[in-house]
Amino acid sequence: MEQYNDKKDKKIRKAAFVAVVGRPSVGKSTLVNRLCGEKVAIVSAVPQTTRNAIRGIVNREEGQIVFIDTPGRHISGKKLNRKLQEVSDRSIAGAELVLYVLDAVRVPAEEEEKIASDLARVLENPADKLVFAINKMDSPDANFAKAEEFVRRFFPNVGGDRCFKISALKHEGLEPLLSTLFALSSEGEAFYPEEYYTDQNVPFRIAEIIREKAMNRLWDELPHAIYVDVADAEFKENGTKLWVRAFIITERESQKGMIVGKGGEMIRSIRLAALKELKRIFDWKIELDLRVKASSDWRHNDGVLKRIID
């Protein structure tokens, strides 16, 4: 039955920020993209692809939910990883609800226990804020009972109706999850206009798409050793064409050759794949000048980390 505001005789609209947290490679970004119905966050098989708080917006008759896709939480003392954990911590602190995504295939271990302990510690009342999505239920190796047992052990006061079987990849089980999140959200006005599905600016989106295409074509440690800098973006031809110059930046001069590839084959492949994706996202014609340069040990440079991680 629909709820109405007695004073204004209007349907109650809900609005909430929902932080999406979990281990690396658990499927958080894929889930946010599926829920939003658009490409909001880049996706890669490489752990810790997400480096920022990526906001994806769902607008429905019930109201608006802003999902915050956060970097995967794992145990590491490296400066880059500490910065990523800070991003996740800030997102959790500023969110009304927290969607904790677990992997139905991987048995919960030390890293999972650390995440659960952190959430139990920082959330004043986990029973009010937490919802659980057990992802990858499409896998023949999925073990929902094991994941649910883990949830009950760390969060005994959270009801079983907050634990959902889903497959973000197959788009299964998402409607009950989304309905529950709306039901738990507070009454309020939308944070963004209804036509928005993300609030990312154009240079950031371009940089992320290029980084995704590079990560999916490189190997070993190299994906973690790169970031993308959009140096210039200029509209031409009366605003119908966007000209972009961007740099894939790696840590060492010796790594540049791997990104460029023999005869420029690799950089060309990355550029063409990025252009194809960008043309699906934006209405403008896009011209991309893509280059490679080295920035020594950037993962330990506070200035660079502050600029690229938010």
Side-chain angles (χ1 to χ4, degrees):
M1 180 178 293
E2 293 180 342
Q3 290 181 298
Y4 286 87
N5 184 313
D6 293 334
K7 294 181 179 179
K8 298 181 180 180
D9 196 33
K10 291 182 179 179
K11 185 185 298 184
I12 292 175
R13 300 272 292 176
K14 301 293 191 74
F17 281 88
V18 177
V20 183
V21 303
R23 291 164 70 182
S25 301
V26 77
K28 298 182 300 298
S29 297
T30 299
L31 175 57
V32 170
N33 288 341
R34 292 286 193 241
L35 290 169
C36 295
E38 298 285 352
K39 178 72 169 281
V40 172
I42 64 172
V43 177
S44 165
V46 178
Q48 291 199 301
T49 297
T50 301
R51 291 176 178 169
N52 294 269
I54 305 295
R55 285 176 283 274
I57 304 162
V58 174
N59 291 289
R60 290 202 170 184
E61 188 178 3
E62 302 97 309
Q64 183 180 91
I65 290 179
V66 182
F67 289 97
I68 310 169
D69 183 21
T70 64
R73 299 177 71 94
H74 80 129
I75 300 170
S76 172
K78 293 181 179 179
K79 182 173 284 190
L80 173 61
N81 293 320
R82 292 201 306 270
K83 291 287 290 183
L84 298 181
Q85 173 111 3
E86 289 172 10
V87 172
S88 179
D89 288 344
R90 289 198 304 269
S91 299
I92 292 168
E96 181 178 354
L97 299 169
V98 176
L99 177 57
Y100 183 3
V101 184
L102 294 96
D103 190 330
V105 176
R106 289 189 289 176
V107 175
E110 180 186 7
E111 202 166 64
E112 201 75 76
E113 291 176 353
K114 176 67 166 59
I115 297 170
S117 297
D118 287 346
L119 291 175
R121 175 176 48 82
V122 301
L123 296 179
E124 187 174 336
N125 191 346
D128 289 342
K129 295 190 71 168
L130 271 172
V131 176
F132 303 89
I134 314 302
N135 192 27
K136 305 184 183 179
M137 289 301 300
D138 56 297
S139 170
D141 298 321
N143 189 334
F144 178 79
K146 199 73 174 176
E148 190 179 38
E149 177 188 350
F150 174 85
V151 169
R152 285 200 305 268
R153 177 156 57 95
F154 278 88
F155 306 99
N157 296 325
V158 179
D161 59 342
R162 296 281 190 91
C163 209
F164 293 86
K165 298 179 181 181
I166 70 163
S167 168
L169 186 64
K170 301 289 187 179
H171 209 297
E172 295 172 351
L174 305 191
E175 282 302 316
L177 170 63
L178 194 54
S179 295
T180 295
L181 290 170
F182 269 113
L184 293 171
S185 300
S186 300
E187 179 181 354
E189 296 298 320
F191 304 103
Y192 296 94
E194 286 191 6
E195 65 271 19
Y196 278 42
Y197 65 87
T198 187
D199 65 352
Q200 300 167 47
N201 63 44
V202 171
F204 177 82
R205 296 200 78 187
I206 292 172
E208 285 288 272
I209 292 298
I210 295 170
R211 186 165 68 89
E212 177 189 60
K213 304 312 177 188
M215 292 180 75
N216 287 332
R217 285 163 174 76
L218 300 170
W219 55 90
D220 297 331
E221 286 296 311
L222 198 53
H224 293 294
I226 65 170
Y227 74 93
V228 176
D229 179 39
V230 173
D232 295 291
E234 180 184 346
F235 281 103
K236 297 183 176 182
E237 298 179 7
N238 296 319
T240 62
K241 177 188 283 189
L242 179 62
W243 176 84
V244 177
R245 172 172 290 151
F247 292 88
I248 298 175
I249 300 176
T250 189
E251 287 187 303
R252 298 190 296 273
E253 288 289 336
S254 60
Q255 295 170 332
K256 289 169 59 177
M258 289 184 273
I259 300 172
V260 173
K262 186 177 180 180
E265 182 179 350
M266 179 61 73
I267 190 71
R268 187 181 305 113
S269 173
I270 294 169
R271 175 182 169 275
L272 291 176
L275 274 174
K276 185 176 180 179
E277 183 83 37
L278 292 169
K279 287 174 181 177
R280 283 200 292 264
I281 294 173
F282 300 115
D283 293 331
W284 317 297
K285 299 175 184 175
I286 297 179
E287 186 176 321
L288 177 59
D289 178 5
L290 186 58
R291 307 183 185 192
V292 182
K293 65 181 180 181
S295 176
S296 179
D297 210 22
W298 67 262
R299 283 185 284 185
H300 297 90
N301 185 309
D302 289 328
V304 172
L305 294 179
K306 185 177 180 180
R307 181 158 52 88
I308 68 172
I309 297 175
D310 179 17

